Amino acid sequence: MSRKNNRTYKRNKRNCVYTYVVHHKRQDLLMTTQEFRKQIGKYLGTKIREFGFKGSGFNYIMDSESFVFTIGLQANRYGGSFCVELGVHPKEITNNGFEDLDFNKLKYYNCEFRTRLAKEGNGDRWWNYTDSESKNFEIIDDVIFYISKYAIPIINGFKNDTGLLEKVKISDIKNRFIPIPDFKGGLTPMTTDIRLAWALAVIIEKSNPKKSLEFAKYALKHDKSPSTFFGTKDLKRIIEYYQDSFEKDLPIKEMDNEKSSFWTKITDRFRK
């Protein structure tokens, strides 16, 4: 692979033909991402802190009793645009598989649940900034509107009902790839159904140990590489600790793809 004139060339080994992908770089833009952040940073920070966040620049954080919430602006790697990420992290999860988490310094990409702000059904929303300060301030006003309309209801939903995740069922885990892309009033689990089952088992262990055991059994049963998954030790611990307190073999029901999932139902709740 080689790179020239903003193009990445890939060689096809079979016929030695080179193809290229043009990277979308804003040729009309003089302002860099760093300059844009410096220009709008104070204005953006003032507006976001009115919602109760702390932070500066492109990263903001809000603490609560059971969750940490984050807002972050993710810049296009080629400059000229950005999207807004919302992260929600349950405090029961203290390690993400790579490192112990500092709840005072979380970024959106550290959070167990996250989503990009957008109008429902319209995919990701990307804002194109300009060389004009006044226009860029108008863009930030639109970002604040999106945070108010799409992020704050989610945050309030989790703050007002700390047991919200206890309502998730096994069928929601299996179906998560179907409803969640349309769940613009909600969140996306970081990775697989196994990771989600592990996270839920850990999150609700103290408040609902029987259901935690059900999630742990599901994850351990379906994990094809338990030796490489960092959460396996938690799953085994939960099963060993609670197994004798409940039924010996909790049933793991087959999924019904036709049933409305937790993630779909909760969308309407947040939008009311």
Side-chain angles (χ1 to χ4, degrees):
M1 180 181 294
S2 64
R3 189 181 179 100
K4 183 179 180 181
N5 297 330
N6 203 38
R7 296 175 177 179
T8 298
Y9 290 82
K10 297 181 179 180
R11 182 186 180 191
N12 185 316
K13 293 182 178 180
R14 176 171 296 182
N15 53 24
C16 296
V17 173
Y18 283 84
T19 58
Y20 64 85
V21 177
V22 178
H23 297 280
H24 299 286
K25 187 174 182 180
R26 294 274 303 279
Q27 301 294 339
D28 61 323
L29 187 67
L30 298 178
M31 178 175 289
T32 65
T33 299
Q34 291 75 18
E35 290 170 336
F36 172 70
R37 179 169 53 227
K38 182 177 180 180
Q39 182 187 77
I40 56 87
K42 185 176 181 179
Y43 184 67
L44 173 65
T46 299
K47 293 290 186 179
I48 291 185
R49 285 191 286 271
E50 290 178 358
F51 294 119
F53 284 90
K54 296 179 180 179
S56 61
F58 280 2
N59 292 288
Y60 298 86
I61 189 168
M62 178 193 295
D63 194 16
S64 72
E65 180 181 355
S66 301
F67 299 94
V68 178
F69 306 99
T70 64
I71 291 284
L73 273 61
Q74 179 184 334
N76 186 318
R77 63 182 298 184
Y78 301 111
S81 63
F82 65 92
C83 64
V84 180
E85 300 262 6
L86 166 68
V88 176
H89 191 84
K91 289 186 174 180
E92 290 84 358
I93 296 180
T94 58
N95 186 289
N96 62 7
F98 303 100
E99 59 185 351
D100 291 333
L101 299 174
D102 183 345
F103 293 151
N104 295 316
K105 298 180 180 179
L106 284 187
K107 303 292 191 300
Y108 65 86
Y109 46 79
N110 301 129
C111 294
E112 194 64 31
F113 307 108
R114 60 180 183 249
T115 192
R116 287 178 177 173
L117 301 189
K119 291 182 179 179
E120 185 174 3
N122 286 357
D124 297 343
R125 173 73 164 92
W126 287 81
W127 285 266
N128 294 314
Y129 56 84
T130 73
D131 290 319
S132 167
E133 182 178 64
S134 61
K135 289 183 179 179
N136 287 339
F137 282 179
E138 291 177 3
I139 290 170
I140 295 305
D141 286 337
D142 193 46
V143 167
I144 296 302
F145 168 77
Y146 267 71
I147 293 173
S148 175
K149 184 173 179 62
Y150 298 107
I152 298 304
I154 298 173
I155 292 171
N156 289 339
F158 278 91
K159 290 173 69 174
N160 295 335
D161 186 357
T162 57
L164 198 59
L165 294 175
E166 290 188 42
K167 298 177 176 64
V168 182
K169 299 178 294 186
I170 291 290
S171 58
D172 298 317
I173 297 177
K174 189 74 174 182
N175 291 335
R176 73 181 190 88
F177 290 107
I178 298 173
I180 291 183
D182 295 327
F183 184 47
K184 294 306 178 184
L187 301 167
T188 304
M190 282 184 66
T191 51
T192 66
D193 58 335
I194 305 302
R195 169 100 183 204
L196 178 57
W198 160 79
L200 292 169
V202 172
I203 292 167
I204 69 173
E205 179 183 356
K206 293 181 179 179
S207 59
N208 194 334
K210 186 174 183 179
K211 198 165 189 178
S212 171
L213 176 60
E214 186 177 358
F215 283 126
K217 283 195 165 188
Y218 173 92
L220 205 57
K221 177 180 178 179
H222 291 82
D223 188 6
K224 300 185 184 304
S225 303
S227 62
T228 61
F229 177 43
F230 81 98
T232 298
K233 62 181 184 299
D234 293 315
L235 301 174
K236 290 182 176 180
R237 174 184 57 77
I238 290 171
I239 292 173
E240 291 174 2
Y241 189 85
Y242 295 107
Q243 180 70 52
D244 293 335
S245 300
F246 303 107
E247 299 178 36
K248 283 291 183 182
D249 292 300
L250 284 173
I252 297 178
K253 299 179 181 179
E254 291 300 319
M255 307 304 108
D256 183 354
N257 289 333
E258 299 300 320
K259 290 185 178 180
S260 177
S261 77
F262 162 84
W263 303 103
T264 303
K265 291 177 180 177
I266 204 173
T267 305
D268 296 333
R269 175 177 178 175
F270 282 160
R271 292 187 176 281
K272 289 181 179 178

